Amino acid sequence: MTSSSFWHGRRVFLSGHTGFKGSWLALWLSYLGARTTGYALPAPTVPNLYELAAVGDRLTSVLGDINDLDHLSAAMKAAEPEVVFHLAAQALVREGYAHPAATFATNVMGTVNVLEAVRRVPSVKSVIVVTSDKCYRDQPSEGGCRETDALGGQDPYSASKAAAELVSLAYRSSFFEDNARIVTVRAGNVIGGGDFARDRLLPDIVRAVEHRAELEIRYPDAIRPWQFVLEPLRGYLELAERASSNEAGVAGAWNFGPDEAGAQTVREVVRGFVDACAPYQPPEIHFGASRPQYDEAMLLKLDTAKARAQLGWRPLVDFNATLAMTAEWYRAYFERSDMCAVSERQLERYLDNVGQCGALSGRGIA
């Protein structure tokens, strides 16, 4: 279990700290007392969690492009981190189709640049490279994709994440066997308060509510492994701690996903989230045809047996609680609440639950 004593005063370098997951991780690291330096482009949306939760007050923020190796290296050298989390990425499938070259540049060469920068900073003990559940070549077997399954990807985004995995493997084998531990992590669809990205399901619903606009759902029968944003982040922190302590068997790839009940159709997620957002609702939702406009898998599922067996990690927030906590955050946003305080309360509630090793259910999270 993640140790506050390990993280207190620990120097951390976090790429992508202005993004959705990066902002939540920065808040968590601040809570643990880490000395974090963030490196990223400005927040990609307006509004965004980074500004709403005053994340910039919790770390040293360096604005820069992950493709600028010299600037990235200088920032990492100045920070002298012991732990590096690499979250900076182009994270949208449809954006990958629209801008494939930029997607490969950011997701593949961006990963190369981070690992090149790490090579120049001897203080680094562990590196967590965040990829995606879409890095696998084939649709899952009955139990879901395993870390040993073949990598691939039929679209630019998915292929770029598979390539980032191969880059990490090559650097780990070639340069880091006796130095920093290189770990890659693959998570299913992550949801939670503060995500405002385009072409993501719940943010699209939030915008429809906010602007009183109708909403069309493209692939209502697609099945995804939905999980609360803090769940995989707990795994990332645990892996970084163990890798920094030179624990055997940590370097490599790890899946993080929900329980069986978390694998739900888009249609069920929409209905559950809209109900949880009451009284706030979009005017009308139209469910379109299930055939994808692009070549995108209709079923994604991860096997998390490795994380459960070797880390003792398991999901602590069930599907209903995930929707309820996410809706709670956005209801507070609609009501112009102090989103810094709201975000802190959700983090503290989750951490209380981690300490008790109990599960948060949708029946009792208020």
Side-chain angles (χ1 to χ4, degrees):
M1 185 174 295
T2 301
S3 168
S4 296
S5 61
F6 172 85
W7 290 101
H8 188 77
R10 187 76 53 177
R11 298 186 306 278
V12 177
F13 191 89
L14 168 59
S15 79
H17 68 289
T18 59
F20 166 53
K21 285 174 70 177
S23 290
W24 275 112
L25 182 54
L27 287 173
W28 197 333
L29 288 166
S30 174
Y31 185 90
L32 292 170
R35 295 163 53 192
T36 304
T37 297
Y39 183 94
L41 294 171
T45 62
V46 177
N48 57 79
L49 177 61
Y50 179 75
E51 294 176 347
L52 289 171
V55 175
D57 295 342
R58 318 297 183 90
L59 45 64
T60 299
S61 178
V62 180
L63 294 182
D65 191 334
I66 205 72
N67 290 307
D68 186 342
L69 176 57
D70 290 340
H71 189 210
L72 172 65
S73 293
M76 191 180 295
K77 183 177 180 180
E80 293 185 304
E82 298 161 85
V83 178
V84 173
F85 291 99
H86 175 39
L87 276 70
Q90 192 298 96
L92 302 173
V93 172
R94 294 186 77 192
E95 181 68 14
Y97 278 106
H99 302 287
T103 296
F104 281 108
T106 297
N107 293 351
V108 183
M109 288 309 302
T111 301
V112 170
N113 289 339
V114 167
L115 296 177
E116 277 294 303
V118 168
R119 291 181 67 196
R120 304 174 186 183
V121 182
S123 60
V124 177
K125 298 293 185 293
S126 62
V127 183
I128 307 299
V129 177
V130 178
T131 64
S132 170
D133 63 343
K134 296 178 178 65
C135 70
Y136 291 103
R137 185 182 66 192
D138 300 316
Q139 293 192 21
S141 60
E142 184 176 344
C145 293
R146 298 177 177 87
E147 289 88 347
T148 53
D149 287 348
L151 300 171
Q154 299 298 313
D155 64 271
Y157 169 78
S158 301
S160 73
K161 287 300 189 177
E165 288 279 350
L166 294 174
V167 165
S168 300
L169 173 61
Y171 269 79
R172 181 168 59 244
S173 301
S174 300
F175 305 113
F176 292 114
E177 286 192 13
D178 298 320
N179 195 349
R181 299 296 191 273
I182 310 299
V183 181
T184 61
V185 290
R186 307 159 181 177
N189 284 41
V190 171
I191 58 178
D195 188 1
F196 293 93
R198 294 286 174 184
D199 294 321
R200 280 194 187 145
L201 183 61
L202 300 195
D204 283 349
I205 297 174
V206 168
R207 277 185 288 273
V209 170
E210 191 169 16
H211 301 296
R212 304 300 299 162
E214 295 184 3
L215 178 64
E216 182 173 356
I217 304 299
R218 295 185 300 275
Y219 317 135
D221 298 319
I223 297 173
R224 296 289 183 266
W226 310 92
Q227 61 182 319
F228 188 56
V229 62
L230 298 180
E231 298 274 60
L233 297 185
R234 173 165 50 92
Y236 304 173
L237 288 164
E238 178 74 17
L239 284 168
E241 185 172 338
R242 293 188 181 216
S244 296
S245 302
N246 293 325
E247 183 173 320
V250 175
W254 298 79
N255 286 339
F256 294 99
D259 285 327
E260 191 73 24
Q264 297 281 341
T265 66
V266 168
R267 190 187 307 271
E268 289 302 314
V269 172
V270 171
R271 289 171 174 167
F273 183 66
V274 169
D275 287 346
C277 282
Y280 303 101
Q281 293 189 3
E284 191 170 355
I285 295 177
H286 305 281
F287 291 101
S290 295
R291 187 178 68 183
Q293 180 180 359
Y294 301 113
D295 189 3
E296 185 175 354
M298 294 300 288
L299 171 64
L300 287 173
K301 187 177 179 183
L302 295 177
D303 184 311
T304 61
K306 180 180 176 181
R308 292 169 185 260
Q310 298 185 36
L311 299 180
W313 179 95
R314 65 181 178 87
L316 299 178
V317 185
D318 70 20
F319 175 71
N320 290 330
T322 294
L323 293 183
M325 291 183 73
T326 304
E328 174 189 77
W329 195 98
Y330 286 112
R331 287 199 309 269
Y333 166 74
F334 293 144
E335 294 160 8
R336 300 185 183 277
S337 300
D338 180 346
M339 298 314 299
C340 181
V342 170
S343 301
E344 287 177 344
R345 284 197 300 270
Q346 287 206 341
L347 175 60
E348 290 173 355
R349 187 192 316 165
Y350 181 81
L351 292 178
D352 286 344
N353 191 65
V354 171
Q356 298 167 7
C357 291
L360 272 172
S361 72
R363 292 187 296 273
I365 66 162

